[in-house]
Amino acid sequence: MRVQKGLVMGLLVVLLGTAAAVNAGAQDQAEAVSLGDVVVTATRTPTPEGAVGVSHTVITEEEIQARQAADVAELLRDVAGITLVRQGSQGAQSVIFPRGGENNFTMVLIDGVQVNLGGGDFYWETLSTDNIERIEIIRGPQSALYGSDAIGGVIQIFTKSGYGPPSVEVSTAHGARSENGNYLGEQHLRVSGGNDQMGFSVAYGRIDDGGALDINNDYWNNTLSARFDLFPKDNWEITLTGRLNDSRYEYPTESIGDKYSPLDPDQHEREMDTVVGLTTRVQATSWWENVASVGYHRNDREIDDPYNPETDFYAWNGEYEETRTTFDYHANLTFSPADPVSSVLTLGYEYERETYHQESTDFATTKLTADRTNDALYVQEQLSFFDRVHLVGGFRVEDNSAFGTEVSPRGSIAVDIRETGTKLRAAAGKGIKEPTFYENFADDAWTLGNEDLDPETAVSWEVGVDQRLWEDRVTIGLTYFESRYKDLIAYVPTPYPAPPVRTPNFFNVQEAESRGVELAVKVRAMENVTLGGSYTFLDTEVTDDGGLGSVAFKEGKDLIRRPSHAASGWIDWRWGGFRTFVKGLYVGERDDVYWRVAERVELDDYFVLDATVSYQVPAPAPIKDMEVFVKGSNILDEDYEEAFGFTAPGASFMAGLSFKL
């Protein structure tokens, strides 16, 4: 009944807004204003960067193209405050730690649709750059706007829209890995176009990688992405987006990696990920905008490990299916009570339903089926004075069928001193993360879930300054932050001898904290030369291990796999028809765990250098923008580990061709 009431309320508001828009007519439309560089994810409204009070990074289509990046994970490596860890070669499990938080502390959105698994997990290895226009990274808790899972930040992917005459873009690249000569391939195709009434952009991409290991390390990935925009009236737009990803990864490694265990010749994972979003925006009057959206995400995974006497004690197979369906409505109400004051008030409601099904087979078959629902109301006020001082405050109230009611507030301030090119900013907020389905509902021979778990929480604050120099040819961003993580969920072993009545194995008993400094610099040294870089200092500590004595989460010690120092630098140089992009990444020493002997180890620091060189080739009509390119990864063939026991890939090189029709 609660679901039906929420949907009916949302649909009524949308219908009222649409009717008002039709009656208002074109004469009541707000005058078009050019906002310049804007950020959408920080406030859910297009906001000029000078008015954004939270630390953020925007990766543009131009930057993606310059790097010839095939997957999003490689782009995130260079972002201040983010640590990315990949357990092996391309296709291996890849996770990020935002500002020292856990690897399930970042909400991921594709065109507004959340694609995390229930409980926050997201694996970056299968997300390609096909049809991506820009990526916005917002650091710090954002649960006031986005709810559970936005505990450490939000990363939103925006799909390209179509415009202009119909066009076709083609790219093909082929290469090999240095350690074994295994094949590398990337194929991309995009068709797009549009006019004043509609636009479309449809793309397909294929990635093939023979792997860095000699046994069972193949990976392939197919991605189909589409976006359709309709503009029935000047004040009404409808956007339909979809993304389908089908991938298969063969991995011979167990939990302790490939260096300290025999390699399994048959173990593999197959994954199918589906995302669909429908959004309508109606500018009912000059001051009232209605935004309604429906989102659907489904993830299907199968892990198959046939029995091999050299590596396995038994055969194992696991199938996982997770879905999330959401409905969101919010109104943006714009007011200017006085000339130097402007206000945007956002009022919203969101409904979410998650389902989970797991079936695994070893000696017996184990099944788990569960679902959760969530209703949320959120409010946000954006208040600006003299177009210089920008205040944002808001909160969200969630009613979750699993963890009950939670309130998440946040606030920020940005002071734009245009005369000196300086922006001062500060932000603070609370974030929450719901338990995973397994933590809530597990019921097998080894583990019993806890349906009374609270969400994990984070309280964070930051202060920063952004400085523009030399007629905006130099930009510098500096941020200091602190975060406190509480009610972290831990596995608590069943006591021995076991009690007569089973007790849950998961409890909110652990705490940690992190603090650090983030620096980002970009310099346009000459018209054809741009360079930049980032640096992160991170200090983490386990403040309460829950009395469990875990080697991976030990009181007074650093959180594992988080380096104290990380830096990246790049240069983009164009001359004539040539373009060269060179990027270096340094990751400092960090703790990890050798699970076979349950001991902490220290991973060495490493430096990886990548480079791309392209050349614009004159081509006869109808071919245009023809380009040949060569790109190399880890061109110095650095020997390193991102996770203990897992071999990181050595040097690899590819050559390719791209053009438009």
Side-chain angles (χ1 to χ4, degrees):
M1 180 62 68
R2 181 174 60 179
V3 178
Q4 294 175 345
K5 288 173 62 179
L7 290 173
V8 170
M9 288 175 57
L11 290 173
L12 283 175
V13 175
V14 174
L15 290 172
L16 287 173
T18 303
V22 172
N23 293 330
Q27 71 274 15
D28 197 29
Q29 295 308 302
E31 184 177 346
V33 178
S34 176
L35 295 178
D37 294 333
V38 299
V39 179
V40 176
T41 309
T43 59
R44 281 197 169 185
T45 62
T47 304
E49 284 198 287
V52 177
V54 295
S55 178
H56 65 277
T57 299
V58 178
I59 301 174
T60 65
E61 181 182 4
E62 172 71 13
E63 293 169 327
I64 297 173
Q65 177 62 29
R67 302 180 189 205
Q68 293 288 342
D71 61 64
V72 174
E74 290 304 310
L75 297 169
L76 297 179
R77 289 186 185 277
D78 307 318
V79 177
I82 286 181
T83 301
L84 187 140
V85 175
R86 174 172 281 169
Q87 295 183 357
S89 59
Q90 189 175 27
Q93 185 180 97
S94 304
V95 297
I96 65 171
F97 301 95
R99 287 184 168 176
E102 297 294 340
N103 60 19
N104 52 8
F105 275 15
T106 303
M107 176 177 283
V108 184
L109 304 170
I110 298 180
D111 297 312
V113 181
Q114 185 182 352
V115 293
N116 300 76
L117 301 179
D121 284 326
F122 184 80
Y123 303 114
W124 292 91
E125 61 269 16
T126 62
L127 183 56
S128 74
T129 57
D130 289 285
N131 215 23
I132 291 178
E133 183 173 71
R134 63 192 265 125
I135 304 169
E136 292 185 358
I137 299 104
I138 309 298
R139 290 178 279 275
Q142 306 299 319
S143 292
L145 265 185
Y146 295 100
S148 177
D149 302 343
I151 179 173
V154 176
I155 297 178
Q156 179 155 207
I157 314 295
F158 292 91
T159 301
K160 294 179 182 179
S161 56
Y163 54 90
S167 65
V168 179
E169 301 173 29
V170 179
S171 175
T172 181
H174 308 269
R177 293 198 171 277
S178 61
E179 53 264 79
N180 49 26
N182 280 348
Y183 172 74
L184 295 171
E186 296 174 12
Q187 325 302 325
H188 306 282
L189 172 67
R190 176 174 177 251
V191 181
S192 63
N195 53 35
D196 291 341
Q197 286 76 45
M198 60 85 67
F200 68 94
S201 176
V202 180
Y204 167 75
R206 167 83 182 194
I207 297 174
D208 290 279
D209 187 341
L213 302 176
D214 294 329
I215 298 175
N216 193 37
N217 204 206
D218 286 356
Y219 167 69
W220 56 255
N221 184 330
N222 292 299
T223 298
L224 179 63
S225 172
R227 171 172 174 157
F228 300 93
D229 294 288
L230 299 176
F231 308 99
K233 294 175 65 70
D234 291 342
N235 58 339
W236 182 15
E237 64 181 66
I238 302 170
T239 300
L240 173 65
T241 59
R243 195 174 187 92
L244 177 64
N245 177 265
D246 181 19
S247 64
R248 189 178 191 274
Y249 177 59
E250 299 176 353
Y251 59 103
T253 56
E254 305 298 335
S255 61
I256 55 175
D258 60 275
K259 292 187 174 181
Y260 303 101
S261 62
L263 300 184
D264 191 318
D266 297 310
Q267 188 172 227
H268 65 272
E269 178 178 8
R270 180 76 179 269
E271 181 173 2
M272 180 79 75
D273 202 71
T274 306
V275 186
V276 179
L278 176 64
T279 300
T280 179
R281 295 177 179 273
V282 179
Q283 191 72 43
T285 68
S286 60
W287 53 268
W288 178 17
E289 180 189 41
N290 295 279
V291 183
S293 61
V294 177
Y296 175 77
H297 174 239
R298 174 171 173 148
N299 181 270
D300 292 281
R301 287 172 295 137
E302 180 179 6
I303 300 174
D304 193 17
D305 185 8
Y307 173 70
N308 287 283
E310 298 84 1
T311 59
D312 302 307
F313 293 106
Y314 49 83
W316 185 85
N317 175 270
E319 297 181 4
Y320 307 83
E321 175 195 301
E322 295 196 38
T323 69
R324 177 185 288 105
T325 305
T326 58
F327 169 80
D328 180 276
Y329 166 78
H330 62 272
N332 297 315
L333 309 175
T334 303
F335 300 96
S336 295
D339 285 342
V341 180
S342 62
S343 164
V344 179
L345 175 64
T346 299
L347 304 172
Y349 164 78
E350 183 182 47
Y351 169 77
E352 174 185 85
R353 182 174 187 267
E354 298 175 307
T355 69
Y356 179 83
H357 178 74
Q358 170 189 333
E359 183 172 328
S360 57
T361 303
D362 42 34
F363 298 111
T365 298
T366 302
K367 295 183 180 181
L368 172 60
T369 299
D371 65 87
R372 296 186 294 219
T373 60
N374 192 84
D375 287 278
L377 297 173
Y378 55 93
V379 178
Q380 176 185 262
E381 169 65 27
Q382 302 176 67
L383 199 59
S384 296
F385 299 91
F386 302 97
D387 199 27
R388 290 177 177 269
V389 179
H390 308 279
L391 303 174
V392 177
F395 65 91
R396 182 180 177 109
V397 180
E398 303 208 59
D399 179 20
N400 189 279
S401 62
F403 60 73
T405 302
E406 288 286 333
V407 179
S408 301
R410 76 155 185 167
S412 68
I413 181 172
V415 181
D416 192 2
I417 309 172
R418 290 188 290 273
E419 291 78 4
T420 62
T422 306
K423 182 177 78 171
L424 306 175
R425 50 183 168 79
K430 173 189 173 183
I432 64 172
K433 188 195 77 67
E434 65 184 356
T436 67
F437 275 98
Y438 194 72
E439 290 167 341
N440 261 155
F441 305 112
D443 188 3
D444 54 43
W446 306 273
T447 305
L448 182 65
N450 186 350
E451 297 187 22
D452 295 324
L453 288 171
D454 293 325
E456 299 180 330
T457 63
V459 176
S460 178
W461 64 270
E462 64 176 60
V463 293
V465 57
D466 298 324
Q467 182 66 54
R468 303 185 303 276
L469 301 168
W470 196 14
E471 297 179 341
D472 293 350
R473 298 177 73 173
V474 177
T475 58
I476 303 171
L478 181 66
T479 305
Y480 174 81
F481 68 87
E482 289 190 4
S483 300
R484 302 286 186 271
Y485 307 113
K486 297 183 178 181
D487 297 321
L488 300 181
I489 298 171
Y491 179 85
V492 178
T494 302
Y496 181 83
V501 179
R502 294 183 69 188
T503 58
N505 292 105
F506 293 101
F507 293 93
N508 300 95
V509 294
Q510 296 182 333
E511 298 182 5
E513 61 185 26
S514 68
R515 62 191 62 83
V517 176
E518 300 162 349
L519 173 67
V521 179
K522 186 176 182 179
V523 180
R524 185 160 55 89
M526 295 183 289
E527 289 302 318
N528 62 334
V529 178
T530 305
L531 54 93
S534 66
Y535 167 75
T536 304
F537 167 74
L538 180 64
D539 178 31
T540 66
E541 182 183 358
V542 175
T543 55
D544 188 347
D545 66 1
L548 300 178
S550 168
V551 65
F553 199 87
K554 192 170 185 179
E555 196 162 315
K557 295 291 187 179
D558 293 341
L559 294 168
I560 64 171
R561 298 181 178 175
R562 282 79 149 179
S564 296
H565 303 278
S568 70
W570 54 269
I571 182 169
D572 187 0
W573 180 23
R574 306 185 190 202
W575 77 103
F578 285 93
R579 183 175 192 176
T580 299
F581 188 93
V582 180
K583 183 202 74 173
L585 173 68
Y586 170 79
V587 176
E589 297 175 345
R590 62 257 178 245
D591 286 355
D592 206 334
V593 174
Y594 184 11
W595 292 105
R596 174 168 286 174
V597 295
E599 290 183 358
R600 290 177 78 98
V601 296
E602 185 177 78
L603 296 178
D604 293 334
D605 60 350
Y606 64 88
F607 175 78
V608 175
L609 189 67
D610 302 333
T612 301
V613 179
S614 61
Y615 178 69
Q616 290 283 340
V617 180
I623 299 175
K624 55 186 177 180
D625 296 335
M626 179 176 285
E627 182 179 78
V628 293
F629 59 88
V630 177
K631 64 177 182 178
S633 300
N634 191 12
I635 60 177
L636 301 180
D637 202 25
E638 177 85 347
D639 183 13
Y640 67 101
E641 294 174 308
E642 294 185 48
F644 180 75
F646 291 85
T647 301
S652 64
F653 299 90
M654 301 184 73
L657 170 71
S658 65
F659 59 88
K660 296 181 181 179
L661 295 173

